[in-house]
Amino acid sequence: MSPAAVLKAARLLAPRSLLVTSTAPSQNAVGALGVRRASGAARLGSVLSGRPVSWDSFGIWDTRMEEPVLPPSSVPYGKPIPQLSLSRVGSASVLGRRTQNEDRLQLGCVRDNLLYFAVFDGHGGPHAADYCYTFMEKHVRDALNEDEDLEKVLTQAFLNVDKALHTHLSYFNNPSFLTAGTTATVALLQDGVELVVGSVGDSRALLCREGRSYSLTHDHTPDREDERHRIERSGGFVTWNSVGMANVNGRLAMTRSIGDFHLKRCGVIATPETQRLRVCNAHDNFLALTTDGINFLLSDQEICDVTNQCHDPTEAARLISQQALQYGSEDNASIVVVPLGAWGKHQSSVTGYSMSRNLSSTGRWA
């Protein structure tokens, strides 16, 4: 059986959830958000801490989302928290100029108070992205049986799915399958308040707060000094192609991924960087997960500006993906838009078209 056939059968046994198939932050962002890295180098800021420094109120919470209050979460946190329905989450994925779409998007409810959102951007074939689409949520569930710390849960899930993928692809005795890989950006939202994001590769997560964008991930690319040094310590090397893009061993434009087993000995790892923050529903507009077909053409702030003009997240996701195509994206372009308590409260002016986008994108996917 082919990998696709095996995964099709496996999906019948996978956890039921709402699945959508496509056919380091900057220092300023860290300071403004008070985001804490997994290493604990920066502490949660006062705005995102557990202390009730500012109280949401029903008067402030007057948005287009119109979600009911979630009492089990609202009482312990001392503030009204919206009950987010997965049906309100927007998503879109477009082919671009590729022959197939290797992006995968996923939404799910891991348990009553824990929602799951993920984007996977495959390369070297869809095998790794398909596998993560089918099994990542299961590995998150399994890790929750061992630990309640969501950062540790995501780290363990990423490592376990990477190991399981190797076993799965090795079964076919086809060395080319082992060169397949995927980015992975996964967000867990607990009680509508506790948000934890884990990521490998160059897919991204951003938070829009009061109309401003804040990065929650940092691309794992060889031109990051810390990542390049790790690759070199592991015996790998970094080269730059004709358009100035750095690659591990001249093959891969990222230093962390799930899969890419031919480069594991060169320092390409599946360990995610994680971020934890507390959602402030009076001020936070939405969470967005995107693949590089969007990231390379639209800045985080442009994504916020366009999305804040839209009536609902579905409209926003479709508009963002189409705008990436208009700006010259040749890659698959995919996005998940998760509305938060302040959805629709902050209007932004839409930025104009930039001819330089087309010029830069030409070399990106050459």
Side-chain angles (χ1 to χ4, degrees):
M1 296 177 67
S2 68
V6 172
L7 286 175
K8 183 176 180 181
R11 287 191 185 111
L12 299 176
L13 303 176
R16 291 183 177 270
S17 62
L18 179 59
L19 303 180
V20 183
T21 291
S22 61
T23 29
S26 68
Q27 293 299 318
N28 290 337
V30 173
L33 272 176
V35 172
R36 178 171 67 83
R37 289 183 178 273
S39 62
R43 297 180 182 276
L44 286 169
S46 60
V47 175
L48 299 177
S49 70
R51 300 186 297 277
V53 294
S54 63
W55 289 66
D56 290 349
S57 70
F58 291 97
I60 294 174
W61 185 12
D62 180 18
T63 73
R64 290 179 290 181
M65 196 162 72
E66 299 180 353
E67 293 286 7
V69 174
L70 188 62
S73 300
S74 301
V75 173
Y77 288 102
K79 60 182 71 176
I81 297 171
Q83 180 176 348
L84 175 62
S85 169
L86 289 178
S87 64
R88 291 189 178 272
V89 177
S91 63
S93 184
V94 295
L95 181 63
R97 298 185 183 179
R98 295 297 182 91
T99 57
Q100 63 177 327
N101 196 333
E102 296 176 345
D103 287 357
R104 299 292 182 266
L105 312 178
Q106 189 174 26
L107 322 174
C109 184
V110 177
R111 58 190 183 193
D112 289 342
N113 65 335
L114 185 61
L115 300 180
Y116 163 96
F117 312 99
V119 297
F120 308 105
D121 182 356
H123 50 264
H127 314 311
D130 277 341
Y131 193 86
C132 288
Y133 169 83
T134 302
F135 292 109
M136 178 64 85
E137 185 183 349
K138 175 186 181 299
H139 283 285
V140 169
R141 293 174 184 270
D142 292 345
L144 280 168
N145 293 330
E146 305 296 328
D147 204 312
E148 288 295 313
D149 185 319
L150 295 183
E151 287 183 282
K152 294 180 180 178
V153 164
L154 282 183
T155 297
Q156 194 60 53
F158 275 55
L159 295 176
N160 287 348
V161 80
D162 185 65
K163 181 179 179 180
L165 174 62
H166 185 271
T167 300
H168 170 72
L169 295 180
S170 297
Y171 170 80
F172 299 98
N173 197 30
N174 186 335
S176 67
F177 287 172
L178 294 175
T179 65
T182 184
T183 71
T185 298
V186 179
L188 298 177
L189 181 61
Q190 183 165 257
D191 294 327
V193 173
E194 301 293 340
L195 176 64
V196 174
V197 177
S199 184
V200 295
D202 56 9
S203 297
R204 297 179 185 173
L206 71 89
L207 178 74
C208 184
R209 168 169 291 179
E210 295 184 334
R212 293 183 58 193
S213 67
Y214 296 97
S215 297
L216 304 182
T217 57
H218 191 179
D219 293 354
H220 299 121
T221 57
D223 50 12
R224 255 181 67 175
E225 186 176 3
D226 57 339
E227 291 292 293
R228 184 173 72 253
H229 288 169
R230 182 173 51 75
I231 293 294
E232 292 170 346
R233 288 195 302 268
S234 300
F237 60 89
V238 175
T239 61
W240 283 262
N241 63 17
S242 60
V243 294
M245 286 188 59
N247 291 275
V248 177
N249 285 29
R251 300 181 182 181
L252 185 65
M254 62 192 72
T255 55
R256 302 192 192 201
S257 67
I258 292 173
D260 294 303
F261 298 108
H262 61 305
L263 294 174
K264 291 300 189 196
R265 66 182 184 278
C266 301
V268 175
I269 60 176
T271 305
E273 286 188 305
T274 61
Q275 306 278 12
R276 181 195 300 271
L277 62 91
R278 181 156 295 180
V279 172
C280 182
N281 281 291
H283 304 288
D284 292 341
N285 308 108
F286 64 89
L287 167 73
L289 309 182
T290 57
T291 61
D292 67 344
I294 288 174
N295 302 336
F296 195 71
L297 277 300
L298 291 165
S299 70
D300 288 356
Q301 188 57 50
E302 286 173 317
I303 293 173
C304 286
D305 292 343
V306 173
T307 299
N308 284 329
Q309 299 296 320
C310 297
H311 179 72
D312 60 59
T314 298
E315 176 190 0
R318 290 174 180 170
L319 184 57
I320 291 292
S321 60
Q322 290 299 320
Q323 192 155 4
L325 292 184
Q326 293 173 12
Y327 283 171
S329 177
E330 299 179 9
D331 201 359
N332 309 145
S334 304
I335 182 171
V336 173
V337 179
V338 182
L340 300 174
W343 172 264
K345 283 182 65 175
H346 305 98
Q347 298 292 313
S348 305
S349 60
V350 179
T351 55
Y353 179 84
S354 172
M355 181 60 71
S356 63
R357 300 175 196 275
N358 277 333
L359 297 177
S360 62
S361 68
T362 301
R364 168 65 170 171
W365 295 284

